[in-house]
Amino acid sequence: MRDSSRLTRRAALGLTAAALPLAAATPASAATAIGGERLARDGIQTSGATGLPKKLTARSWILADHETGEVLASYRAHQRLAPASTLKMLFADTVLGKFERTRTYRVTDADLADVPSGSSLVGVKPGILYTVHQLWQGVFLRSGNDAVHVLAHMNGGIAKTVAEMQAKAADLQALDTHVVSPDGFDHPGQVSSAYDLTLFARHGLRDEDFSAYCSTRTANFPAGGKKTFQIQNTDRLLTGAYGLGTYRGMIGVKNGYTSHAGNTFTGAATRDGRTLLVTVMHPANGGNEVYKETAALLDWGFGKGSSAQAVGKLVDPLSEGGATASAAASGKGAKGAQGATGAAASSSDGPSPWRLLEGAAGTVAVLAGGAFALRRRRAAVAAAAKAEEDQGS
């Protein structure tokens, strides 16, 4: 029993070394320069308009114009925090276009074996034949980690999908983001920012399928045989659930909650031909507060904020001709980068260290320089394990 316990501790030490955020290994200015120097500053950033909501408790938020990419107002836009299920937007940006909607797939036990305990689930069952369309409904409407893992296994596995998501984040110039798992669940080192999440939403909404899924309110989901059950979108501003009215013009995008991350939401709404994007991360109170603060920022953006001058910019993807953001051009704004303050603590109900290690290793291998990064990580793992051995007896 003792040997087994010590092995678990060694695995955890190795996991910690493997899953350190790449953001932590990168100078803070590398991320904070993206989109403009003002977005790296502490405090509320706005110009040319007054009347911002006064009771905003979120640790970070941003309001931007979907079409122009202009950031109209922000607060600690690049602060790195646990993203929860809003990270599924990046998963969709990465995987959504790979499989035809009509393709069918019969789920196996292995596809669901690595779904973290305590996850949000849509109710995917082994042995049932699903269409890709139905699986994506499970991802967008119910934030189903089970549906995410099935699609990730169809894509070649968790590690491959994590690596591709990290590469996609790099292309989108979302440099605050470090991916450990495709589902957004609490894992050590998994972080993003209000700025990056808004990039994911803006990019996704340009895709017809992404836009359709995130705006779908209800759908029928397979229950086996010819039976189905109804699922409802968990976006309360879209459906008006839990005492909230529907927000006029709301078109999505994705909410998220974990016990570590608290509530996070990226929303988009259209009025009079103009679409605004808002991301609110970690408000002080749970429940409806993230939606109330989102609605308040949208109200301001469609109202008094219509005269606001840009304080920053949502950059375009590199693959679509976006200019490379020069991280080292200025050391200014480092104060606004809070580092990996939202790095998730490991949970006793989370996935096994071995499964996390698989995903983390894939990410590090792709983005930290291949063999060199792997050698450094292995050395760190070995050193940590030896230190634990020396202290164990």
Side-chain angles (χ1 to χ4, degrees):
M1 182 65 71
R2 184 184 178 193
D3 289 342
S4 175
S5 175
R6 291 178 64 181
L7 179 60
T8 300
R9 291 199 300 272
R10 291 177 205 166
L13 285 168
L15 171 62
T16 301
L20 283 173
L22 296 183
T26 306
S29 60
T32 58
I34 306 298
E37 184 268 339
R38 287 191 65 173
L39 300 185
R41 297 180 187 174
D42 205 353
I44 293 175
Q45 303 301 312
T46 188
S47 179
T50 59
L52 270 170
K54 294 181 179 180
K55 296 183 179 180
L56 297 174
T57 67
R59 295 174 65 186
S60 173
W61 56 261
I62 191 170
L63 170 68
D65 186 288
H66 175 265
E67 180 64 28
T68 66
E70 292 182 343
V71 176
L72 307 179
S74 70
Y75 177 66
R76 296 179 176 177
H78 283 293
Q79 183 172 7
R80 298 179 183 118
L81 297 165
S85 286
T86 49
L87 194 66
K88 289 181 172 75
M89 293 186 293
L90 177 60
F91 174 70
D93 286 342
T94 305
V95 180
L96 184 57
K98 291 195 173 190
F99 309 116
E100 292 292 334
R101 289 159 51 99
T102 56
R103 176 174 169 178
T104 58
Y105 183 80
R106 192 173 300 279
V107 174
T108 68
D109 289 318
D111 295 325
L112 302 173
D114 47 15
V115 176
S117 175
S119 289
S120 56
L121 304 172
V122 65
V124 175
K125 301 296 182 184
I128 296 180
L129 191 68
Y130 297 90
T131 65
V132 166
H133 173 65
Q134 290 165 338
L135 291 171
W136 280 114
Q137 287 178 325
V139 172
F140 277 90
L141 274 67
R142 296 304 302 174
S143 202
N145 286 5
D146 45 0
V148 169
H149 280 245
V150 171
L151 287 163
H153 282 285
M154 291 175 64
N155 187 51
I158 300 298
K160 179 176 182 289
T161 301
V162 165
E164 290 180 354
M165 288 173 65
Q166 192 70 68
K168 186 67 173 181
D171 176 60
L172 296 175
Q173 305 197 64
L175 302 189
D176 300 322
T177 297
H178 179 248
V179 184
V180 178
S181 72
D183 49 38
F185 198 77
D186 287 342
H187 296 307
Q190 184 145 272
V191 291
S192 191
S193 68
Y195 183 86
D196 285 8
L197 293 175
T198 309
L199 286 180
F200 303 154
R202 186 183 187 218
H203 181 75
L205 287 171
R206 293 172 175 172
D207 180 271
E208 183 178 341
D209 286 338
F210 185 109
S211 183
Y213 284 128
C214 75
S215 62
T216 300
R217 289 174 169 80
T218 62
N220 292 322
F221 199 77
K226 296 183 178 180
K227 296 181 179 180
T228 63
F229 59 94
Q230 188 180 84
I231 58 175
Q232 184 180 54
N233 201 310
T234 54
D235 177 352
R236 298 180 188 181
L237 291 183
L238 186 69
T239 63
Y242 293 91
L244 288 175
T246 57
Y247 188 85
R248 182 167 64 89
M250 177 60 56
I251 56 176
V253 182
K254 190 71 190 74
N255 59 319
Y257 171 81
T258 66
S259 57
H260 174 76
N263 291 277
T264 295
F265 180 60
T266 297
T270 299
R271 290 185 183 177
D272 300 323
R274 187 186 192 195
T275 298
L276 297 180
L277 296 166
V278 173
T279 296
V280 172
M281 300 189 75
H282 304 208
N285 300 314
N288 286 334
E289 188 63 28
V290 71
Y291 300 103
K292 292 178 179 178
E293 296 189 16
T294 296
L297 285 167
L298 285 170
D299 285 343
W300 179 84
F302 287 122
K304 293 181 179 179
S306 59
S307 63
Q309 300 169 5
V311 296
K313 181 83 172 178
L314 298 178
V315 294
D316 293 324
L318 296 175
S319 61
E320 297 177 11
T324 302
S326 177
S330 171
K332 299 177 182 179
K335 181 180 178 182
Q338 303 299 312
T341 57
S346 68
S347 168
S348 60
D349 293 330
S352 74
W354 304 113
R355 289 197 296 268
L356 272 176
L357 184 59
E358 176 194 26
T363 303
V364 174
V366 170
L367 297 173
F372 176 72
L374 285 171
R375 286 195 298 272
R376 291 188 63 186
R377 178 170 57 77
R378 287 172 184 149
V381 172
K386 185 178 186 304
E388 202 276 337
E389 284 278 5
D390 293 342
Q391 298 172 6
S393 56

